[in-house]
Amino acid sequence: MTTTEDFQVSVKAAEQYEARFVPAIFAEWAPLLASIAGVGTGQAVLDVACGTGIVSRTVAERVGPTGRVAGVDLNDGMLAVARRLRPDLDWRQGDVAALPFDDRTFDTALCQMALMFFPDRVAALREMARVARPGGVVALAVPAALNTQPAYGPFVEMAVRLTGPEAASLLGAYWACGDLDALCDLVTSAGLEVTDTWTHLGTAAFDSAVHLAATEVEGSPLVERITADAYAAIRAGAEDVLRPFVDPTGRLDAPLRGHLVAGRVRAR
Ligand SMILES: C[S@@+](CC[C@H](N)C(=O)[O-])C[C@H]1O[C@@H](n2cnc3c(N)ncnc32)[C@H](O)[C@@H]1O
């Protein structure tokens, strides 16, 4: 499996990502990922493709002052926001293909909602295992397949219809690791032993359907790729296709299904 999408954004979009996407969607998954990985007091934890750092911040509370947390991401804009929020944590610019850490540096390596953007996913998982100690854990969270998403399925179908192939490529990439069996096969192919899997039905909670559309566009690379007319059409379309998930006050609670997988690093 390969992708040409790597979710690169400007500092402005990274601020939008932190202000809108993180509270609406990603904050819910970070404690689940920490739990499936068994993160606890005193551990050294790496957050791969950390974005603006929600997993790192969540994990920092769990490992406490005797632990250590580092976040690595390709994108300087994301890291600028991460650093602004938690200057005390260790933020590094880097590619998952060649993580800037020695072998066996961490007890746990986590990756939330990013595996689908890596061009070589098995190599990325091997690299995460390399920087973890034998007996340590590599754990992932990814969105489940689009055909299992009651709200995002119709939303993405509508948005792809209204936009060009570049937008469609990003909107399709989010779901590329969403088959749980195939995901476990990837983890096994990287030499890890799958120890636990969960499928969780989360909630993408927004002030309105239009807010979901605005966040999906302005907090992602889409903002650079679509015309003002296409953006207006997506906002209008969102009100239509997401109506079943909107309450009488206009608030949206859109179901978002995802998979979490934990793998143990083998002795080497
Ligand atoms: C959807 S965001 C997820 C960020 C964060 N994990 C969270 O839960 O909010 C995807 C992130 O993957 C990063 N990314 C994509 N390809 C990468 C690579 N090859 N190495 C490191 N980071 C990468 C992007 O820069 C972006 O910050």
Side-chain angles (χ1 to χ4, degrees), residues 125-151:
L125 290 165
R126 279 207 189 97
E127 187 61 1
M128 290 173 70
R130 177 187 69 76
V131 299
R133 63 169 170 77
V137 175
V138 170
L140 309 163
V142 295
L146 193 57
N147 64 5
T148 69
Q149 304 287 1

Side-chain angles (χ1 to χ4, degrees), residues 165-258:
E166 286 191 17
S169 156
L170 177 69
L171 287 164
Y174 291 140
W175 324 95
C177 295
D179 180 290
L180 184 58
D181 290 338
L183 181 61
C184 289
D185 285 349
L186 278 184
V187 173
T188 306
S189 302
L192 292 150
E193 177 196 352
V194 174
T195 51
D196 208 353
T197 68
W198 302 343
T199 295
H200 174 72
L201 187 61
T203 306
F206 289 93
D207 288 346
S208 69
V210 169
H211 278 86
L212 179 145
T215 302
E216 292 291 342
V217 172
E218 292 178 35
S220 84
L222 270 191
V223 70
E224 310 276 346
R225 298 188 192 177
I226 62 173
T227 63
D229 285 351
Y231 185 18
I234 289 175
R235 289 198 304 266
E239 289 196 286
D240 185 30
V241 298
L242 297 175
R243 190 162 293 128
F245 310 101
V246 173
D247 76 12
T249 71
R251 274 200 62 81
L252 173 75
D253 278 341
L256 177 60
R257 186 171 275 112

Side-chain angles (χ1 to χ4, degrees), residues 103-104 106-107 129-130 132-137 264-268:
D103 295 1
R104 307 173 182 225
F106 299 97
D107 298 297
R130 177 187 69 76
R133 63 169 170 77
V137 175
R264 184 178 296 119
V265 179
R266 294 178 195 276
R268 55 181 189 267

